[in-house]
Each structure stands twice: as C-alpha cells, then as structure tokens.
C-alpha cells in the first residue's frame, strides 16, 4: 500500500494541450475575442476573461445514429398505463430525454488569461513602418559577455578560468605539491641513517627549487572576461493623446476617443517595456493634463488645432529625444478648426511633428447615428488627406459608433505591405 | 471500544494510512474482496482537471482535443456548473486512486472504500476486464505511446501527426474488437514489438531498392470476390484495424499511431459496457465498508451522517419529468440492484423465489455478489437481476416512439405483471453497447480496380447516421485510405437507404 502526495507535482500538465488547442482554434478564438471586445468596456476587455467560441469548428466527429423508432425505459411513471399515448410535445416531456442520444454542445465558453486575450486581439496588428524606422534611428548599444581574453582591466579578471589554467600548467610541468614536500620533511626528521638523510635533503632542495621555478600562478594563466557591444533596440515609446475639448465635442465623442487611446496604449505596452502617455487637450490654447482632466474636465472655447501640435512639439523637444523614443500620436477631433489655423497646422505637422513620429493617427469622431458623415469632409480631414497623399506617415478614420472603434483600430494597425498602405483609401 | 480513525474533518497522511488499513480489513475479511495492490495519490483540484481532460489517465500523448476538454471542464467548473469528481481510479496494477486534497476526512474514507476497494475489485475480477485489458502493462504502454507520438512529431512534424491522430480519434469507437477469440492484450509485449519493428525498419532500410527497376506488371488474374474478401479479412467491423493492416499508402509510423489509438480504445471498451455494474459495485462496497466502520465505532455519528449525505446525492435518481433528469443514473441503478440482490439472497419473498430460484434465500450475499461482479456486464446484469420489486420502486415504464405514429409516443409496457419482462428486456438492451453504437463494417474493396473502400451501415429501427458527422468521419477515413470511400446505409432487407461517397483530400506534402 502506497500513499503518495502528488500535490507538489507541477500542475498545468494540460498547458501544452491547451496551447495546442488555442493554436488550432486561433481564428475562431480571434473572431470571438473581437466580438466580445465590442460588447465590453475596454477595461474589462483588458482583464481577459471569457469568450464563447462555436464548437462547430472544433467539433470532433463520430458516427452517430439519430432518428428512427426509439424505445426507452424511464423511471417515475405516475399515471400511465399500457397503451396510453403521450403527446410528442407538451405534457409528456419524455421526448427530449432519450438516454444517450446526441450530446449537443453548440458553443462553449472558454476562459482566456489576460495575456492570451490581448495577444489574440492584437495578434495581426503591427505598428506601421516599424521595421524601417527602427533600423534608421531606434538602436542603442548594450553589452554582453563574449568569452575570455588575455588582456583587460583587473576588475574583469576571471578567477575561476585563471585558476583552471594555472592548475593545468602546474600539473603539466609537474610542480611538486605542498603535501609532497611536507612528507619529505617529515621523512628527513624521522630518518636516522646519515647517507639516506643527505640524499633526502638533496631531493628536497631540488623540489623546492622546482617549486620556485614553476610559480603557483603565472601571468600567463591570467584571463579576463571579455565584453562585446551589441546594438539593442530602444524599448521605450511615448504616446501623445491630442484631443479637441471645445464645446462641440460631446461626451459620446470623448468616449470614442478614450476607447481609441486606451487601445493604442495597450497595444504599445505590448511592444515596449516602457510606455509613456502624454495627454494634451486643447481649445484655442493647449495644455498638458492628467488623464482624469483629459477625459472629464470641463472646458470650452474656440478651436485652434495648431496649439496642440505646438505643445506636443515643445514637449518632444524637452523630454522625448526622437533618437531615444518611439513617438506615436493619436489625435481625436470632430474635425472643426478655425479657418485661419489650417495653414499653421499643416506647417507644424509637416515640419515638426511628422518627421519625428513613427505614426500619427487621426480619428475623426462623430455623433452617434453618424449622419454628419454624409456631409462634406471637415476642414481638418481635407488638410490631413492632402498631407497623407503627399506620403506622410499618417492614417485617418472616421468613427461614430462605439462598436466601430475596434474595427477601425484594427484597420489602422493591420499588418500590411507598404504597397498596400499606399493603395488603401 | 475501537479507536476512532479521525476526529472532525481534517486529515493527514497518517490518518489516510489508518483509514486505508481499516477499509482494507473490512474489504478483505468481511466482504472477501480480491484486489490489486493499491496506490493512493493525493492531488489538487487543478491536477484533477488535468486528469479529466486526458480521459483520467496519468500520462497521455499530447493532442489538442485534450486541451479542448480541459478548457471545457475548467470553464464549467469555474462557473460552478460542475463539481469535480471526488476521485479518479485507474485500472492498472497497482491500482491508482486519485484523491482530492479538498476532501474532508470522511470523504477520503468514502473515496478510498469506493475506488481503492470497490472499483479495484471489479477491475481485477470482471471477465471483460480480464479478457480485454492488461492492468500490469497499461501505464508502461501509455508511456510508450506518449514518447512515440512525441518522437513522430519531431520526425514528421506536428501537423502531420495531428492529422493522423484526428482521423484515428474520429474512428476510435470503431476501432474495437467486440468479440473475443483474439488473444488477450499484452501491452508490454506490444510495446517491445513496436520497438523491434521500428528497429528492423531502420536496419533494413536501403535507399537503393527504390532504384531497382520493376518488372512488368504481373497479369492479375481477377481474384474472385470471395477470395479477395477472405484475404482482407472482410467483413471487418474494426475499422482502425483494417486501415492499419490494409490501407495502401500509410507510412509505418501512421500505422503505429492507429494501433496505439486502437489499443487505447480497446482498453476502455470494457468500461463502457460495465458502467452500471462498475459504479454499482463501488457504491455497494463503500456503503458496506462505511456502515461497518460506523458500527465498529471507528467513525462518529456525525461523520456517518456526512457520509450518508454524499451517498444519497450519488445515488439520487430524478424521475423522467424532473428537469434534472438525464437518463438512468448508473450509480443509482447499479447500487439498487445490488442491494436488491442482497435482499433476495437473505430475505426473499414468494415473488423473488419465482423470479430468482438460483439465488433466493441462498444466504451467502458476498458469494453471490462476487459471482455477479465477475461474470456479467451491464446488459446481462440488468437482464438477469432487475427484480419486479425494483421496477415498481423506480416506477419504470417503456415508451415506444415511432415517428410514423400520429397519435404520439406509445406507452408499451409499465411496471405490472404483463410488463415486467418487457421493461427489463428493453432496459437491458439500452445498456448493450453493441446495440447503441452504429453497426458499421468494411464489406469490400476493389484492390485491382479503383481501390474504392465500401462500408455498410446496418440500420436498426430506422435510425440512420447523422449526416454532417458521417461526412466528416468519412472524410478522415478517406484521407487515411487515400482512395474513395463509400458508405452505404442498408436496412434489414438489404434495401439501400442512403449512400455517401467521399474522396480523399489532396495531401500537401507527400507521405512516403
């Protein structure tokens, strides 16, 4: 009889099976994730959690019989006698309760961890033009171990390697060991025969001389750890959230913008160790604010988009050197801008902002219902469209419903070839 | 007075040892059980879920479908839709029982009595298990299977292996020899043989043979149909066996995978035929042991009440119009029949003497039960031992549902003198796996012609195959066979009801 405690055995035996299942169900789960995300708040989405996936795609078929005449024995007869008839649907609920007939699981709920969820959600997204710019400007140097060398600074001496070599050399050259000498000395002390004693002393002297000739550690043995410089991508990013908070921006529009920013934040967080967010809100003048004020603080006034761009430019200059930071900006606006501001906005973007940005996303938010979008393009939209057509790293979309945020985001950051990017509307 | 085994709900390993010893004493001395050596393992809830998803086995090859089951169980467990089983027990020698750490001391006692003695005795003594399973070899064989699958994945790619396993799983319920006659499974020898086969293939492999010019094709005298079928061992209802032996273009490792799936299916086959008996035995044994321990004063009245609560839940049988109803509860039915046998043997009434002349009043309860446990399966067990008294007690009735019948579902028999035998016969039939599973067999293959594989499904009582599933399974079958496959559904008069023809999907990379 054995009683064994297996609780300390590693759990998660099924982990690999689970991963296999996820890999296989990837497209299904991905679809489910997207659908789920539309229905939920972003915060909940980021918690991961449950998605429902149709079992159909993951169905394991078996030969199953169905239909035909059926016989069944059931317990709990209260009033029937032989020859009675039960209605097929209705009081005799026996119809659906045939034992062992068809187990139908049409969909099942699947709990994803936060990481799994976000991974799947962002899986086919990529920062546009990431590779190109990374090579150009986003590398710094790091150091890593690269074997041993015979010269270097004392701080880098590798003791173990040095002793190892010294030992090998001592053995090869037959340097007498300490024990050997001591043994000989003891023998001399105990020796009574003079001749033998002299012989032994001579031997001892020889060995001592040999010890001196062959040092314990020779400069030859010394090894230094070698380090090599390797280029490393900069793992930091900053995201600028620019929002128009003038009177024309409704709560609904701000909500749309917020969702978009949060997604962008999560997305960047995935790619970089360190992500900063800068919130800039503007009316006819711009200021940097905290998140709470950004989304909920009351403000009103005229609209000067250039003020926000100017503020961003200054912050970049002060705190975020483009050589060290990946800079992203997302601007949300209802598209209204002072007529006179157009030119300045365009100039700021072309000369100051776009050259240092990895990517600039412009999101034009509209009222629920979206009828406004049937009208002609707003002044900002027209301006940005012109810039984009001249090849700026700029994407723009219009959004009027909450459920559109995810598809639009997805659309903006979908992995694609540069050729496609240009062809895209 | 005997010393208590434990106080309260807490237990430690010394307690478990005392409990096991006490259960063993009752099981062996009072009940005369004969068991494999026991090995009891304490695990966590998560490990229990792990074990669930690989059909309860401690080691199993990797496959996505186990991940699916894990996800499925985990989701329903988290939502509280499903409680975890108190135990999992493995038909192996030593017999391994898993105990959950969350269980109270009383539950551990119940579980040890149930699994380590009830199931264990049944595994060791029932003729089906003796005939079809190899308790000594199974763990080693599973270990071999796991490593073999892993090796194949390394050599031939995960996708390829998965494709083959998917197909094999789809046919798993038709990878079973239903009738004895073949020799008993010896999984250790099987494992060695697989190793030798592989080694032999590697030793004799010589790429030059590929370049030897082939002679002109031999003129094939058309084999007579009879002879051809005989050579192929047709008709054959073990589809996996047939494919493994006769599919023309499978790689040796694919055949080995089919073989592994087939062996595992065969290993579980007795369990599907003895669910009522197996659970009934374990429940009866735990009930006897717990009662005895209580009588001896080794567990307190409180502990015994706790036990009775769990026991009653386990043997609860909802009635047909209860929303909780989902067929007969094997624990309830099995336990009831066994208790009833005890009654018939010790306190028979006239009716029992008439129905069960062999055992009524025989007084040797355990002798009779041990014989029943050894020599019956669900179908014959119900067919033989379901008494009129029990049918009355369960208020059983038999419904006949003919879709052609407009008036509705007919009550064919109820628990009265006229109905007893019919109800019992019908209930027994429902527990006959041979009757529940579709009867499908390979009937012919045209080896000199287009190599189309022809299968028949013998339709019983007008119950045909589910079309969607049938097509998918046939697709897997065709992919393994690599030529067209047709499945013909025929009724008892050989009238063709429906025919499926499926062509194999092109294989992306050549499978040598």
């Amino acid at each position: 009889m054995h009683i064994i405690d297996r609780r300390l055995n590693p759990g998660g035996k099924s982990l690999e099976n689970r991963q296999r299942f996820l890999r296989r169900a990837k497209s299904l789960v991905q679809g489910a994730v997207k659908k789920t995300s539309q229905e939920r708040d972003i915060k909940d989405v980021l918690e991961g959690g449950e998605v429902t996936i149709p079992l159909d795609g993951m169905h394991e078929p078996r030969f199953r019989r169905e239909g035909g005449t059926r016989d069944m024995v059931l317990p709990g007869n209260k009033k029937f006698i032989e020859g009675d008839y039960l209605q097929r649907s209705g009081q005799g609920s026996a119809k659906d309760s045939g034992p062992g007939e068809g187990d139908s699981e049409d969909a099942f709920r699947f709990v994803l961890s936060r990481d799994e969820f976000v991974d799947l959600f962002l899986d086919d997204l990529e920062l546009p033009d990431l590779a190109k710019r990374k090579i150009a400007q986003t590398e710094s140097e790091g150091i890593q171990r690269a074997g041993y060398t015979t010269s270097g600074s004392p701080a880098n001496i590798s003791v173990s390697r040095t002793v190892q070599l010294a030992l090998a050399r001592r053995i090869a050259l037959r340097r007498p060991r300490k024990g050997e000498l001591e043994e000989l000395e003891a023998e001399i002390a105990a020796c009574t025969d003079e001749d033998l004693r002299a012989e032994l002393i001579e031997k001892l002297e020889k060995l001592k001389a040999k010890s001196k000739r062959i040092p314990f550690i020779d400069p030859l043995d010394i090894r230094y750890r070698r380090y090599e410089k390797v280029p490393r991508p900069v793992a930091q990013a900053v995201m600028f959230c620019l929002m128009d908070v003038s009177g024309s921006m409704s709560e609904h529009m701000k909500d749309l913008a917020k969702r978009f920013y949060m997604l962008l934040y999560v997305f960047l967080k995935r790619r970089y160790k360190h992500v900063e967010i800068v919130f800039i809100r503007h009316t006819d003048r711009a200021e940097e604010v905290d998140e709470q004020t950004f989304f909920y603080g009351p403000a009103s006034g005229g609209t000067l988009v250039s003020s926000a761009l100017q503020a961003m430019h200054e912050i970049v200059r002060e705190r975020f050197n483009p050589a060290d930071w990946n800079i992203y900006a997302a601007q949300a606006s209802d598209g209204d801008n002072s007529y006179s501001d157009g030119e300045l906005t365009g100039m700021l973007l072309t000369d100051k902002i776009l050259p240092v940005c990895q990517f600039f996303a412009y999101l034009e938010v509209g009222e629920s219902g979206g009828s406004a979008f049937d009208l002609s393009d707003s002044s900002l939209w027209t301006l940005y469209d012109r810039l984009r057509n001249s090849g700026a790293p700029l994407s723009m979309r219009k959004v009027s419903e909450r459920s559109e945020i995810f598809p639009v985001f997805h659309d903006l950051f979908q992995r694609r070839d540069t050729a496609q990017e240009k062809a895209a509307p | 007075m005997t010393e208590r085994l434990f106080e309260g709900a807490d237990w430690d390993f010394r307690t478990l040892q005392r409990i096991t010893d006490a259960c063993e004493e009752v099981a062996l001395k009072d009940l005369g059980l004969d068991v494999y050596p026991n090995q009891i393992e304490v695990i966590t809830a998560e490990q229990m879920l792990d074990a669930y998803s690989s059909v309860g086995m401690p080691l199993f090859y990797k496959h996505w479908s186990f991940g699916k089951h894990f996800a499925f169980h985990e989701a329903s467990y988290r939502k509280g839709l499903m409680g975890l089983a108190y135990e999992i027990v493995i038909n192996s020698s030593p017999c391994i029982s898993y105990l959950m750490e969350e269980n109270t001391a009383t539950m551990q006692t119940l579980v040890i009595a149930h699994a380590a003695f009830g199931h264990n005795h049944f595994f060791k003594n029932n003729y089906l298990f003796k005939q079809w399973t190899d308790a000594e070899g199974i763990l080693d064989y599973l270990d071999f299977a796991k490593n073999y699958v892993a090796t194949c994945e390394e050599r031939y790619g995960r996708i390829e292996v998965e494709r083959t396993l998917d197909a094999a799983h789809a046919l798993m319920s038709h990878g079973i020899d239903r009738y004895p006659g073949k020799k008993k499974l010896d999984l250790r020898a099987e494992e060695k043989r697989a190793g030798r086969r592989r080694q032999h293939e590697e030793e004799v492999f010589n790429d030059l043979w590929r370049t030897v010019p082939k002679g002109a094709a031999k003129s094939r005298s058309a084999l007579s149909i009879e002879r051809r079928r005989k050579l192929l061992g047709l008709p054959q209802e073990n589809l996996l066996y047939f494919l493994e032996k006769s599919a023309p273009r499978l790689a040796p490792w694919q055949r080995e995978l089919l073989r592994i799936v087939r062996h595992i299916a065969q290993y579980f086959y007795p369990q599907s035929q003895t669910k009522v008996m197996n659970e009934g035995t374990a429940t009866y044994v735990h009930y006897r042991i717990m009662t005895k321990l209580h009588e001896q004063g080794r567990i307190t009245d409180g502990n015994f009440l706790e036990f009775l609560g769990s026991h009653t839940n386990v043997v609860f049988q909802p009635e047909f119009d209860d929303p909780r109803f989902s067929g007969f509860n094997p624990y309830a039915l099995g336990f009831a029949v066994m208790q009833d046998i005890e009654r018939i043997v010790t306190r028979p009434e006239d009716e029992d003497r008439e129905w069960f002349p062999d055992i009524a009043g025989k007084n040797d309860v355990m002798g009779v039960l041990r014989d029943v446990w050894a020599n019956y399966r669900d179908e014959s067990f119900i067919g033989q031992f379901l008494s009129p008294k029990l049918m009355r007690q369960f208020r059983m009735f038999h419904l006949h549902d003919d879709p052609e019948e407009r008036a509705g579902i007919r009550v064919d028999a109820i628990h009265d003198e006229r109905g007893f035998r019919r109800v019992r016969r019908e209930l027994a039939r429902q527990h006959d796996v041979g009757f529940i599973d579709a009867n499908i067999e390979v009937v012919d293959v045209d080896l000199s012609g287009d190599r189309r594989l022809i299968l028949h499904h013998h339709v019983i009582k007008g119950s045909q195959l589910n079309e969607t599933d049938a097509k998918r399974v046939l697709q897997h079958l065709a992919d393994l066979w690599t030529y067209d496959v047709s499945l013909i559904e025929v009724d008892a008069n050989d009238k063709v009801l429906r025919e499926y023809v499926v062509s194999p999907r092109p294989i992306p990379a050549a499978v040598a």
Side-chain angles (χ1 to χ4, degrees):
Chain A
M1 158 74 54
H2 288 290
I3 299 179
I4 300 172
D5 187 358
R6 288 269 186 233
R7 286 172 296 176
L8 295 176
N9 273 23
K13 246 188 186 171
S14 290
L15 193 65
E16 194 186 333
N17 286 330
R18 181 185 162 90
Q19 282 164 349
R20 281 167 189 244
F21 168 66
L22 265 185
R23 247 192 322 247
R24 192 178 165 106
K26 194 165 170 185
S27 58
L28 287 172
V29 178
Q30 226 158 25
V33 162
K34 267 173 217 151
K35 193 159 160 281
T36 316
S37 359
Q38 277 172 25
E39 291 157 4
R40 282 197 251 173
D41 286 347
I42 288 179
K43 269 201 178 132
D44 298 340
V45 166
L46 301 184
E47 287 305 304
E50 220 168 62
V51 293
T52 310
I53 60 175
L55 257 196
D56 195 42
M58 299 300 295
H59 183 62
E60 292 171 88
R62 296 277 151 90
F63 283 129
R64 287 191 287 129
R65 287 165 57 200
E66 60 183 16
T69 60
R70 297 195 305 167
D71 286 283
M72 49 208 155
V73 174
L74 302 173
N77 177 19
K78 290 164 203 81
K79 57 184 180 193
F80 305 130
I81 55 162
E82 191 183 328
D84 274 359
Y85 279 95
L86 280 73
Q87 295 300 312
R88 282 227 159 68
S89 56
Q91 35 118 228
S93 65
K95 184 163 195 298
D96 300 322
S97 45
E101 303 268 335
D103 48 339
S104 62
E105 322 156 272
D106 27 306
F108 81 90
R109 288 168 198 290
F110 188 79
V111 180
L112 292 172
S113 72
R114 184 181 179 281
D115 283 0
E116 281 170 341
F117 195 96
V118 179
D119 262 350
L120 282 164
F121 179 68
L122 300 175
D123 187 63
D124 55 346
L125 304 182
E126 198 177 59
L127 293 177
D129 277 354
L130 192 66
K132 194 177 79 192
R133 289 181 169 235
K134 223 182 202 167
I135 296 162
Q137 29 173 269
T138 65
E139 284 185 352
S140 73
E141 304 222 301
I143 48 172
Q144 71 179 31
R145 289 284 300 274
Y148 299 95
T149 164
T150 50
S151 62
S153 105
N156 287 339
I157 284 181
S158 166
V159 176
S160 60
R161 178 54 67 109
T162 302
V163 171
Q164 198 181 337
L165 285 168
L167 187 65
R169 181 183 47 78
R170 280 176 349 234
I171 291 171
L173 297 178
R174 306 221 176 124
R175 183 184 199 266
R177 274 176 289 124
K178 203 177 160 202
E180 244 172 281
L181 295 176
E182 277 168 2
E183 214 172 276
L184 209 51
E185 271 166 4
E187 217 175 304
I188 291 166
C191 188
T192 45
D193 182 348
E194 276 304 312
D195 286 350
L196 185 60
R197 192 183 161 88
E199 202 177 306
L200 283 174
I201 288 176
E202 194 188 342
K203 200 171 165 190
L204 179 68
E205 290 305 318
K206 252 188 196 166
L207 284 181
K208 276 185 176 166
K210 200 172 184 183
S211 295
K212 270 189 194 134
R213 277 203 309 278
I214 306 169
F216 190 77
I217 289 193
D218 195 87
L220 200 71
D221 304 327
I222 296 177
R223 289 292 179 275
Y224 300 88
R225 292 186 292 267
R226 200 170 97 81
Y227 293 93
E228 214 173 45
K229 283 183 178 166
V230 286
R232 248 179 219 159
V234 173
Q236 54 188 358
V238 57
M239 182 179 110
F240 284 90
C241 306
L242 311 174
M243 185 156 68
D244 176 359
V245 289
S246 61
S248 55
M249 285 288 284
S250 67
E251 281 306 313
H252 173 73
M253 291 170 170
K254 285 185 189 174
D255 183 60
L256 292 180
K258 176 181 181 176
R259 280 159 191 275
F260 187 78
Y261 292 135
M262 285 187 74
L263 262 184
L264 185 57
Y265 174 71
V266 176
F267 183 33
L268 293 176
K269 196 98 185 157
R270 282 275 128 171
R271 307 278 156 163
Y272 302 100
K273 274 200 200 113
H274 187 62
V275 186
E276 291 250 350
I277 314 186
V278 177
F279 295 103
I280 298 173
R281 66 170 189 174
H282 74 90
T283 51
D284 49 359
R285 58 185 193 84
E287 56 180 339
E288 188 186 347
V289 293
D290 60 18
E291 184 182 345
Q292 193 63 25
T293 325
F294 186 71
F295 290 111
Y296 304 108
S300 72
T303 315
L304 278 180
V305 174
S306 61
S307 65
L309 296 173
Q310 185 63 40
M312 173 177 166
H313 173 59
E314 272 154 28
I315 293 170
V316 167
R317 212 175 48 195
E318 280 166 30
R319 295 178 359 220
F320 302 102
N321 181 359
D324 301 333
W325 289 83
N326 291 292
I327 297 173
Y328 297 87
Q331 183 185 10
S333 163
D334 57 358
D336 273 344
N337 196 13
S338 298
Y339 180 71
S340 59
D341 192 43
E343 198 178 336
L344 182 58
T345 308
M347 212 172 69
L348 273 170
L349 274 172
T350 334
D351 297 345
K352 304 271 170 56
I353 307 289
L354 291 177
V356 300
C357 271
Q358 299 278 41
F359 189 67
F360 192 102
Y362 172 62
L363 190 73
E364 192 158 301
V365 289
E367 273 306 344
S368 179
S371 58
F373 289 102
D374 299 337
L375 302 174
S376 59
D377 289 341
S378 68
S379 55
L380 266 185
W381 184 269
T382 322
L383 169 70
Y384 283 42
D385 203 29
R386 203 180 69 223
L387 287 175
R388 201 193 48 170
N389 284 336
S390 60
L394 183 90
S395 272
M396 41 204 287
R397 290 291 187 281
K398 292 180 181 178
V399 175
S400 62
E401 294 295 339
R402 201 175 275 187
S403 61
E404 286 170 16
I405 289 285
F406 288 93
V408 161
F409 184 84
H410 198 256
D411 213 25
L412 279 177
F413 290 95
Q414 195 156 27
R415 194 168 288 153
R416 69 185 89 176
D417 304 336
T418 6
Q420 278 174 323
E421 165 75 56
K422 285 201 179 105
Chain B
M1 176 173 147
T2 332
E3 205 181 321
R4 292 260 152 79
L5 290 171
F6 50 83
E7 295 290 339
D10 294 339
W11 52 268
D12 58 19
F13 283 84
R14 293 226 310 280
T15 323
L16 286 189
Q17 187 67 57
R18 272 204 304 278
I19 291 171
T20 317
D21 292 344
C23 289
E24 187 170 57
E25 200 185 306
V26 182
L28 303 192
K29 285 200 191 131
D30 294 12
L31 306 183
L33 301 186
D34 163 34
V35 294
Y36 291 124
N38 270 307
Q39 178 165 322
I40 289 170
E41 306 197 357
V42 179
I43 61 174
T44 61
E46 191 203 349
Q47 289 169 325
M48 186 60 102
L49 274 170
D50 279 350
Y52 261 41
S53 51
S54 49
V55 287
M57 300 313 275
L59 29 97
F60 222 69
Y61 55 82
K62 304 276 180 226
H63 190 259
W64 63 269
S65 90
F66 307 137
K68 174 181 129 181
H69 289 119
F70 180 80
F72 185 67
H73 289 310
E74 193 196 26
S76 35
Y77 178 56
R78 281 196 191 185
K79 285 187 84 100
L81 292 179
M82 174 187 95
L84 287 178
Y86 298 124
E87 42 68 46
I88 284 183
V89 54
I90 294 168
N91 169 24
S92 62
S93 177
C95 175
I96 301 175
S97 314
Y98 292 112
L99 270 54
M100 275 230 284
E101 63 170 351
E102 281 92 341
N103 294 347
T104 62
T106 311
M107 286 308 299
Q108 302 294 31
T109 319
L110 164 62
V111 167
I112 289 171
H114 181 90
F117 296 97
H119 283 306
N120 189 343
H121 172 86
F122 194 78
F123 287 147
K124 190 173 175 191
N125 293 281
N126 183 264
Y127 80 105
L128 281 173
F129 288 88
K130 281 184 165 175
Q131 196 159 42
W132 289 119
T133 67
D134 171 18
E136 272 86 19
I138 182 66
L139 293 180
D140 287 342
Y141 187 71
L142 287 177
D143 189 40
F144 153 75
K146 184 181 171 185
N147 292 328
Y148 191 84
V149 171
T151 315
C152 284
E153 287 183 341
E154 253 168 52
R155 287 192 187 176
Y156 312 106
R158 198 173 53 79
I159 307 280
E160 280 301 316
V161 172
E162 190 170 287
R163 209 194 308 271
T164 310
L165 281 179
D166 282 355
H169 285 179
L171 296 165
M172 201 165 179
S173 51
H174 295 269
I176 293 159
D177 292 320
R178 290 178 205 282
Y179 305 102
K182 305 230 162 111
K183 62 178 190 280
K184 182 183 172 222
L185 209 53
D186 179 353
L187 292 172
R188 273 193 187 140
E190 185 60 42
E191 179 193 336
K192 281 194 198 112
R193 206 142 48 123
R196 277 206 305 277
R197 219 172 9 239
R198 209 162 49 241
Q199 201 186 349
H200 175 76
E201 272 156 19
E202 275 164 19
E203 277 167 6
V204 302
F205 177 77
N206 186 342
D207 200 39
L208 278 181
W209 285 112
R210 201 172 40 78
T211 63
V212 173
K214 290 189 181 94
K218 281 178 198 149
S219 62
R220 266 194 222 91
S221 57
L223 284 165
S224 74
I225 291 178
E226 281 311 309
R227 187 166 145 66
R228 180 173 76 218
R229 291 175 50 147
K230 196 160 181 231
L231 277 178
L232 287 166
L234 297 176
Q236 172 63 264
E237 60 167 1
N238 190 336
L239 304 187
L240 282 179
Y241 178 80
F242 177 80
L243 288 170
E244 179 196 325
K245 297 298 175 205
S246 315
R249 292 189 12 205
L250 289 182
W253 62 269
Q254 289 178 303
R255 294 183 203 274
E256 190 66 44
L257 289 186
L258 297 190
R259 201 178 174 80
I260 286 172
V261 172
R262 182 163 68 82
H263 282 325
I264 291 173
Q266 191 75 59
Y267 173 82
F268 283 111
Y269 184 55
Q271 311 220 357
S272 60
Q273 295 185 73
T274 53
K275 218 168 158 26
V276 171
M277 284 194 76
N278 204 344
E279 294 304 352
T281 305
T283 307
Y284 181 82
V285 166
H286 84 222
Y287 188 75
R288 288 283 301 262
I289 292 180
M290 294 301 282
T291 312
K292 183 80 183 181
L293 292 180
H294 181 234
E295 282 167 14
Q296 292 172 339
R298 288 178 156 191
I299 55 176
T300 63
D301 292 348
N303 294 138
F304 192 64
L305 269 179
E306 183 196 345
F307 154 72
L308 282 178
S310 311
H311 175 77
T312 315
N313 285 338
V314 166
V315 298
F316 175 66
Q317 175 63 62
E319 299 189 335
F320 79 102
D321 48 0
D322 189 308
R324 290 167 292 180
F325 179 78
S326 60
F328 268 100
N329 170 0
Y331 293 82
L333 188 59
F335 180 65
V337 175
M338 284 167 198
Q339 277 220 312
D340 200 44
I341 292 176
E342 183 184 323
R343 181 189 62 81
I344 294 166
V345 172
T346 51
R347 310 179 298 277
E349 290 159 21
D350 290 347
E351 183 185 57
D352 301 313
R353 286 186 211 283
E354 184 194 324
W355 278 64
F356 306 101
D358 290 350
I359 59 169
K362 215 177 161 195
N363 258 320
D364 176 14
V365 175
M366 286 318 297
V368 170
L369 277 176
R370 281 198 303 268
D371 177 61
V372 170
W373 294 340
N375 297 312
Y376 289 81
R377 58 181 184 138
D378 285 353
E379 183 227 354
S380 51
F381 172 66
I382 293 169
Q384 187 77 33
F385 294 106
L386 185 65
S387 71
K389 183 177 155 66
L390 265 192
M391 282 183 265
R392 283 194 300 269
Q393 188 183 316
F394 276 104
R395 308 183 77 84
M396 290 183 188
F397 64 117
H398 169 209
L399 291 178
H400 178 77
D401 181 5
D402 183 350
E404 304 290 308
E405 177 66 72
R406 295 209 154 204
I409 305 166
R410 194 173 71 239
V411 177
D412 243 19
I414 64 163
H415 47 85
D416 61 8
E417 284 303 326
R418 278 166 52 84
F420 285 141
R421 289 193 192 274
R422 280 188 288 160
V423 168
R424 185 163 84 167
R425 187 173 352 111
E426 203 47 54
L427 189 63
R429 219 144 84 99
Q430 279 173 27
H431 287 87
D432 181 359
V433 276
F435 181 76
I436 297 165
D437 287 344
N439 178 5
I440 293 174
E441 55 185 18
V442 182
V443 291
D444 202 4
V445 48
D446 186 0
L447 275 184
S448 53
D450 63 1
R451 297 188 173 177
R452 172 186 290 205
L453 189 65
I454 300 161
L455 293 94
H456 277 181
H457 171 217
H458 301 282
V459 175
I460 306 167
K461 297 204 293 186
S463 172
Q464 290 180 242
L465 294 177
N466 170 292
E467 192 175 332
T468 335
D469 262 19
K471 280 184 182 158
R472 287 187 184 156
V473 178
L474 286 171
Q475 185 63 63
H476 279 307
L477 182 57
D479 291 346
L480 290 178
W481 180 245
T482 61
Y483 297 97
D484 285 5
V485 169
S486 85
L487 172 74
I488 302 163
E489 296 197 274
V490 292
D491 67 8
N493 306 320
D494 276 343
K495 191 181 140 212
V496 175
L497 301 172
R498 185 155 47 177
E499 176 167 7
Y500 298 93
V501 179
V502 178
S503 302
R505 283 177 288 206
I507 306 166
V511 177

